[in-house]
Amino acid sequence: MTKMIAGQALVKVLEEWGVKQVYGIPGGSINHTVEGLYLEKENIKYIQVRHEEVGAIAASADAKFTGKIGVTFGSAGPGATHLFNGLYDAKMDHVPVLALVGQVPQTVMNTNYFQEMDETPMFEDVSVYNRTVTTAEQIPYVINQAIREAYRQKGVAVVTLPEDLTNKEIDYVSPKTPKVVENDFSQVINAADVENTLKMLKEAKHPLVYAGRGLLGAKDVLQKFAEQFNLPIMNTVPATGVISTDHPNFIGTFGRLGSKSGFEALQHADLILFLGSEFPFAGFWPKDLKIIEVNNNPYDIGKTVDVDYAVISDAKSYLQALIDTGDTLPASDWLKANQENKKNWDNWLVKLSKDDSKGLNPETVMAKVKELAGPNDTFGVDTGNVSEWAVRGLPMNKNQRFALSGLFATMGFGLPAGLSGALSVSDAQSWSFSGDGGFSMVAPDLITEARYKLPVINVVFSNERLGFIYYEQVATKQHLYGVDLTGADWAKVAEGLGGIGFTVSSIKDVDDVFKKVQELQANGNDKPIVINAVIKQDDPVATAFMPLDEKLYGKDAVDAYSKQYGIDVSEQPSLGELLRAKGDNK
């Protein structure tokens, strides 16, 4: 038993749970929590951000990169409300985050005091656990319970702390109960479910796997399953990296952020094994296919698409049970055609990366990143067109880690995630990727990267346009309004905020600048780097609907689409053509 202020005891509990850093900004209503961080500064890092939103997003990114709880704080009133963007990101993507919220002293609560707000109901929707402490002595217990619930329910825990309680001295005893809450994945699998799944896979002519975040950390199992059963594999965007991006059975993803190979595979599939996901766009899949959904949360099954067969299990255990049967499927023309289609798509992206005749293509930058990225690097990706370029171009073939704002899709995620990556995986290179729209929302926190000597490589794609929304306005025949952006010299901004800045607008620039960046990092650079990539304003190829099969869509549709996006159908024949060439006319 040790006497200390409750604010320090709070931080002690965080340490016992293995928390490495806490993000936030001091304020009058949370100062003794900050005092606790000062007293424990040898054991836990306090990261002073320039906006609480950045701290909350970074905490969510911590959880996405590591699987461990992220922690952020804000003072009463505006400090608290600034947390919401990052907290909703964590809620929507089901990752554990703890938010510590300041509150005015108890003696002035309910008196319309300065910055006083009724904070408990404010956080009710975003949280799985939401408490206001009422005594100093209960603070360590409540923090411990909050972290347990954040892990157990995979969500946000909020603890509101009146300032007059965190400064009181208490007797602190380290809890003896186990601190780490882990899901038990050694589930008993229903043998009938395994048998029925095998039967449906064997009866299908064109089966494929659609994998979600529930399989993160199970790459070896998924790849073994893909190889044993000779199945093409797709993944949701938040699950990028769940299978190696260079695995021969990986064929991409579906939707605006997808690939030709992914879109066309779904048009010809007759069975999907849908694993560990609540993919919100599953409702756009073709209606005439069968779906087996596997999820350890029964309330997620059928939530976004009607299914033909439901399996309540974690996806990793279920795939292992299928593997353990020793059964297999032959390497079919269906698999081979999908592999060929994906190879043609990849070759087309390479072709784009080597052409700057009409301006710099973002594929050029991504190809260079792919060339230079290390096996353990982290990639923090913003929302918008940049998500498309990242999903299609980043290497996720070793132990790299990928994070973006999946279901919440907040802009401004990239830079905070880069900050998180540098702190959470400090022995590897951290990268962030943003459009100029999202980057401008959070750019001041380059100061934070500079303050803590974090040499994050921040790539900003500048086209003076909210490109993702521009496309939507064009597609729905609206007036183009509010989607143009006033440009900025992000390289100079970086220099003004304590970093190093470069601008690239051609293939030669990209080669020269990335070589300089390599040399800087090799020589121990400790400053953040911004690469301002001035790209052409063309829309990325629209992959949500790709009418390239003349038999399905007609010659006029194929000609118009291929002309719009510069696709040579002789180099990229449709999956339907590839199948028909193999005698598969389904």
Side-chain angles (χ1 to χ4, degrees), residues 318-568:
Y318 198 68
L319 289 184
Q320 189 61 56
L322 290 167
I323 291 168
D324 291 343
T325 66
D327 220 324
T328 187
L329 293 174
S332 63
D333 287 337
W334 163 246
L335 173 64
K336 293 172 184 175
N338 275 287
Q339 290 174 329
E340 186 176 347
N341 200 29
K342 176 61 160 52
K343 184 178 180 180
N344 291 338
W345 167 258
D346 289 341
N347 288 340
W348 184 67
L349 294 178
V350 170
K351 184 178 178 180
L352 290 180
S353 74
K354 295 180 178 179
D355 179 13
D356 61 356
S357 59
K358 297 180 180 178
L360 181 64
N361 279 313
E363 288 80 9
T364 303
V365 179
M366 285 304 180
K368 183 59 68 172
V369 173
K370 185 175 183 179
E371 177 187 327
L372 300 180
N376 301 305
D377 288 4
T378 57
F379 305 122
V381 179
D382 218 319
T383 298
N385 283 346
V386 63
S387 306
E388 303 181 38
W389 302 318
V391 167
R392 295 169 187 170
L394 288 176
M396 294 294 295
N397 55 353
K398 297 289 193 307
N399 298 310
Q400 299 97 338
R401 309 185 201 198
F402 176 96
L404 86 173
S405 183
L407 293 187
F408 193 53
T410 180
M411 291 175 66
F413 185 89
L415 187 146
L419 171 67
S420 163
L423 292 163
S424 298
V425 189
S426 57
D427 58 347
Q429 178 61 55
S430 174
W431 302 76
S432 83
F433 301 91
S434 307
D436 45 356
F439 191 75
S440 64
M441 294 180 174
V442 292
D445 266 276
L446 278 171
I447 300 173
T448 306
E449 293 180 353
R451 177 185 178 95
Y452 296 102
K453 301 185 185 303
L454 302 174
V456 182
I457 301 175
N458 302 278
V459 179
V460 184
F461 293 98
S462 297
N463 61 359
E464 299 184 4
R465 176 185 286 177
L466 295 172
F468 205 83
I469 308 305
Y470 173 92
Y471 172 85
E472 292 178 345
Q473 291 186 355
V474 170
T476 54
K477 296 181 172 56
Q478 299 179 60
H479 293 95
L480 296 176
Y481 197 58
V483 291
D484 61 304
L485 296 174
T486 301
D489 187 334
W490 297 112
K492 287 185 178 179
V493 169
E495 293 170 1
L497 297 177
I500 301 169
F502 299 99
T503 296
V504 297
S505 58
S506 68
I507 293 174
K508 183 179 185 304
D509 289 345
V510 170
D511 289 339
D512 292 346
V513 163
F514 274 85
K515 183 177 180 181
K516 292 177 183 176
V517 169
Q518 253 190 314
E519 292 170 353
L520 282 168
Q521 304 302 69
N523 290 319
N525 170 57
D526 62 2
K527 293 182 178 182
I529 293 171
V530 170
I531 299 174
N532 181 35
V534 181
I535 58 172
K536 61 183 185 181
Q537 286 195 325
D538 291 2
D539 284 328
V541 60
T543 52
F545 178 64
M546 302 187 75
L548 289 170
D549 189 335
E550 193 171 314
K551 182 177 179 181
L552 294 179
Y553 306 108
K555 186 175 186 304
D556 289 346
V558 172
D559 288 346
Y561 184 89
S562 57
K563 180 180 179 182
Q564 181 178 359
Y565 292 107
I567 294 176
D568 184 342

Side-chain angles (χ1 to χ4, degrees), residues 24-25 48-55 444-448 451:
I25 299 176
Q48 178 208 71
V49 291
R50 292 305 180 99
H51 197 292
E52 290 91 349
E53 175 190 20
V54 169
D445 266 276
L446 278 171
I447 300 173
T448 306
R451 177 185 178 95

Side-chain angles (χ1 to χ4, degrees), residues 85-385:
N85 226 29
L87 299 188
Y88 268 100
D89 176 71
K91 172 188 175 172
M92 299 286 279
D93 284 350
H94 304 295
V95 295
V97 166
L98 172 64
L100 306 172
V101 179
Q103 179 58 288
V104 300
Q106 286 182 315
T107 53
V108 293
M109 290 174 65
N110 305 317
T111 66
N112 298 309
Y113 194 69
F114 176 70
Q115 291 190 326
E116 179 195 358
M117 299 180 72
D118 189 0
E119 291 170 342
T120 301
M122 284 168 46
F123 288 95
E124 191 62 32
D125 180 66
V126 78
S127 62
V128 298
Y129 181 91
N130 183 21
R131 298 289 188 274
T132 297
V133 297
T134 56
T135 69
E137 288 74 16
Q138 71 182 217
I139 287 176
Y141 173 84
V142 173
I143 296 297
N144 191 53
Q145 289 302 110
I147 295 173
R148 291 168 64 89
E149 287 302 311
Y151 273 121
R152 185 176 75 87
Q153 300 189 57
K154 298 179 182 177
V156 176
V158 179
V159 178
T160 300
L161 302 155
E163 172 62 8
D164 58 329
L165 300 184
T166 50
N167 73 351
K168 288 185 177 179
E169 189 172 77
I170 63 171
D171 292 321
Y172 175 68
V173 179
S174 176
K176 294 180 180 179
T177 53
K179 303 298 187 302
V180 178
V181 178
E182 296 187 69
N183 290 309
D184 180 8
F185 289 134
S186 58
Q187 299 182 1
V188 176
I189 305 298
N190 187 325
D193 287 338
V194 173
E195 183 179 339
N196 289 333
T197 299
L198 288 173
K199 182 174 182 290
M200 293 175 74
L201 285 172
K202 290 176 180 178
E203 289 174 348
K205 301 296 184 185
H206 294 165
L208 63 81
V209 173
Y210 213 110
R213 291 187 74 253
L215 277 165
L216 286 174
K219 180 186 291 186
D220 292 345
V221 174
L222 178 58
Q223 292 182 173
K224 170 64 175 171
F225 175 77
E227 292 159 11
Q228 182 171 322
F229 287 88
N230 289 297
L231 293 171
I233 308 293
M234 298 175 65
N235 60 247
T236 64
V237 168
T240 297
V242 74
I243 182 171
S244 291
T245 48
D246 59 4
H247 191 280
N249 290 25
F250 173 64
I251 59 169
T253 190
F254 166 77
R256 279 283 301 276
L257 311 186
S259 59
K260 174 180 179 289
S261 47
F263 169 79
E264 292 184 332
L266 279 171
Q267 309 315 306
H268 291 273
D270 57 8
L271 175 70
I272 293 179
L273 183 56
F274 186 29
L275 304 170
S277 176
E278 52 178 342
F279 181 52
F281 303 113
F284 293 98
W285 291 347
K287 305 302 181 187
D288 58 347
L289 48 73
K290 290 184 178 180
I291 299 172
I292 304 170
E293 184 166 9
V294 181
N295 202 301
N296 62 359
N297 182 352
Y299 298 101
D300 280 345
I301 294 177
K303 183 162 73 173
T304 59
V305 65
D306 285 336
V307 301
D308 298 274
Y309 195 85
V311 178
I312 301 172
S313 170
D314 78 275
K316 179 182 179 182
S317 297
Y318 198 68
L319 289 184
Q320 189 61 56
L322 290 167
I323 291 168
D324 291 343
T325 66
D327 220 324
T328 187
L329 293 174
S332 63
D333 287 337
W334 163 246
L335 173 64
K336 293 172 184 175
N338 275 287
Q339 290 174 329
E340 186 176 347
N341 200 29
K342 176 61 160 52
K343 184 178 180 180
N344 291 338
W345 167 258
D346 289 341
N347 288 340
W348 184 67
L349 294 178
V350 170
K351 184 178 178 180
L352 290 180
S353 74
K354 295 180 178 179
D355 179 13
D356 61 356
S357 59
K358 297 180 180 178
L360 181 64
N361 279 313
E363 288 80 9
T364 303
V365 179
M366 285 304 180
K368 183 59 68 172
V369 173
K370 185 175 183 179
E371 177 187 327
L372 300 180
N376 301 305
D377 288 4
T378 57
F379 305 122
V381 179
D382 218 319
T383 298
N385 283 346

Side-chain angles (χ1 to χ4, degrees), residues 25-36:
I25 299 176
S29 56
I30 202 157
N31 271 342
H32 281 87
T33 299
V34 177
E35 175 71 4

Side-chain angles (χ1 to χ4, degrees), residues 1-6 8-10 12 16 40 137 140 168-174:
M1 183 181 297
T2 307
K3 286 192 176 296
M4 63 182 67
I5 63 167
Q8 184 178 5
L10 181 162
K12 285 279 192 185
E16 289 164 358
E40 293 295 316
E137 288 74 16
K168 288 185 177 179
E169 189 172 77
I170 63 171
D171 292 321
Y172 175 68
V173 179
S174 176

